[in-house]
Amino acid sequence: MQAMQIRKLTPRFGAEIIGVDLSKPISDQLFREIEAVFNDNGVVLFRGQHLTEDQHIDFSKRFGPLEIHVRKDALMKHRPEVFVVSNVYEDGKPIGSVDAGQFWHTDLSYKKIPSRGSLLLAREVPMRDGKALGDTLFCSTIAAFEGLPRDLQQKLESLSATHHYEKGYNRDRPSGKRKPLTPEQMAALPDVVHPIVRKHPFTGKPCLFVNEGYVTEIVGMPRDESEALLDRLFKHCLKDEFIYRHNWRVGDLLMWDNCSTQHNAAGNYEPTMRRRMDRTTLTGTAVA
Ligand code: SIN
């Protein structure tokens, strides 16, 4: 029987689970404990997990069905459940998405049913002078909501925002312009509208569900007012007290909740330094 210990990553959110080897059988009881830590903390870290691709997929599936990302070019061959985030090239082609996620976003917020969470496994981490680079930053959207003045919280509770995949896909990025989305990809990803204050599907806590990467406007608000309010909210989320910065080690399995957190890959490494991460993405439930 594996027994787990928990270490908080920040005072407000995030936890490391120590003493669990995810390549070994996980009993239903242990899984329920892990899931509870995940729901309560938003970000969960397991160090030293040298998992095969199938072990990564199998552990992820304990949380429910997995998403197959619309970017087929970044999916692992023969295992489409794995979205590869990597600047590694093989036979002249990138093996995954070269600079994915280098902006504040939540994965798949642009879908009618946004993702529940993501599990990123570090396989190669860029290093300089013994220090790991390529950090990922997280913001607690629960803490960010709690940190707003009460009158603004109340105003936001009646508002919704439009999310669109193309905004994040087409933004300027170090590797240059991406190929335009195909008509099929565009058709699969129409604009979606979600409440700005979203009730967490498992804990019921209010989460500030707007992210700079995919949110284009507040529904029914004049454009300049919408831009000013969104800008205020995006900046608010970046306060130190809401942030956890993860410094990766090979074998880290880091999972995050796509309702109670946002994230941003810092990209603080050079293109010649190899970085390879494998991501599985959990299907979510309808937004309440
Ligand atoms: C992502 O946004 O899923 C990628 C995060 C990272 O590569 O650090």
Side-chain angles (χ1 to χ4, degrees):
M1 271 291 277
Q2 305 197 64
M4 68 182 199
Q5 293 165 294
I6 295 162
R7 181 181 74 86
K8 291 291 289 180
L9 295 174
T10 77
R12 306 292 290 272
F13 76 115
E16 178 180 357
I17 293 186
I18 301 164
V20 173
D21 179 347
L22 298 173
S23 69
K24 301 262 159 57
I26 304 290
S27 67
D28 289 344
Q29 169 62 25
L30 179 59
F31 179 73
R32 277 194 293 275
E33 289 172 26
I34 292 172
E35 191 174 30
V37 176
F38 178 55
N39 288 336
D40 288 343
N41 289 279
V43 173
V44 170
L45 167 65
F46 300 86
R47 296 263 196 211
Q49 307 294 329
H50 300 281
L51 306 181
T52 64
E53 286 134 5
D54 288 337
Q55 286 168 339
H56 181 198
I57 293 170
D58 289 347
F59 176 64
S60 306
K61 280 188 174 162
R62 297 286 292 267
F63 293 86
L66 303 183
E67 293 276 353
I68 309 294
H69 202 277
V70 69
R71 279 194 59 197
K72 304 274 177 276
D73 57 307
L75 304 181
M76 185 179 285
K77 270 202 200 96
H78 312 302
R79 288 183 183 76
E81 301 92 336
V82 180
F83 181 81
V84 180
V85 178
S86 183
N87 62 354
V88 174
Y89 280 68
E90 277 172 12
D91 303 325
K93 282 205 205 118
I95 62 166
S97 179
V98 173
D99 43 20
Q102 296 186 8
F103 53 96
W104 283 101
H105 66 288
T106 51
D107 297 326
L108 279 50
S109 77
Y110 48 80
K111 290 189 79 170
K112 190 163 185 296
I113 298 194
S115 157
R116 175 180 178 188
S118 307
L119 293 88
L120 195 66
L121 180 60
R123 298 213 179 266
E124 291 185 69
V125 173
M127 302 289 292
R128 185 191 296 122
D129 303 330
K131 191 175 166 1
L133 306 173
D135 296 353
T136 309
L137 290 96
F138 294 87
C139 155
S140 164
T141 60
I142 296 175
F145 180 73
E146 286 169 356
L148 290 170
R150 185 67 201 128
D151 59 337
L152 182 54
Q153 287 180 342
Q154 277 166 341
K155 174 175 170 169
L156 295 175
E157 272 159 1
S158 64
L159 295 174
S160 298
T162 305
H163 298 233
H164 202 298
Y165 178 61
E166 230 189 343
K167 181 180 178 198
Y169 182 86
N170 281 343
R171 63 190 294 120
D172 290 340
R173 43 188 85 242
S175 62
K177 271 223 158 323
R178 286 179 171 170
K179 276 200 295 201
L181 291 169
T182 64
E184 292 74 32
Q185 285 170 316
M186 294 286 282
L189 296 167
D191 276 0
V192 297
V193 171
H194 293 306
I196 289 185
V197 183
R198 188 175 159 203
K199 214 159 83 173
H200 189 273
F202 291 87
T203 65
K205 290 197 177 153
C207 304
L208 187 59
F209 197 62
V210 280
N211 65 80
E212 193 178 2
Y214 297 124
V215 168
T216 52
E217 63 182 356
I218 297 177
V219 177
M221 195 175 266
R223 178 154 287 279
D224 51 347
E225 208 185 309
S226 162
E227 275 172 12
L229 182 50
L230 286 174
D231 193 49
R232 176 174 174 193
L233 296 176
F234 298 153
K235 288 201 174 97
H236 169 77
C237 287
L238 306 188
K239 290 190 179 153
D240 283 351
E241 69 222 69
F242 311 140
I243 301 288
Y244 167 63
R245 183 176 184 122
H246 187 64
N247 186 237
W248 292 93
R249 293 183 202 160
V250 171
D252 283 355
L253 188 283
L254 190 75
M255 40 183 316
W256 59 82
D257 183 306
N258 280 317
C259 182
S260 67
T261 69
Q262 305 182 10
H263 60 282
N264 181 356
N268 59 330
Y269 56 96
E270 281 134 45
T272 51
M273 299 173 162
R274 289 170 69 104
R275 185 177 191 267
R276 155 112 194 245
M277 306 282 186
D278 289 350
R279 191 183 94 195
T280 52
T281 316
L282 308 177
T283 301
T285 43
V287 175

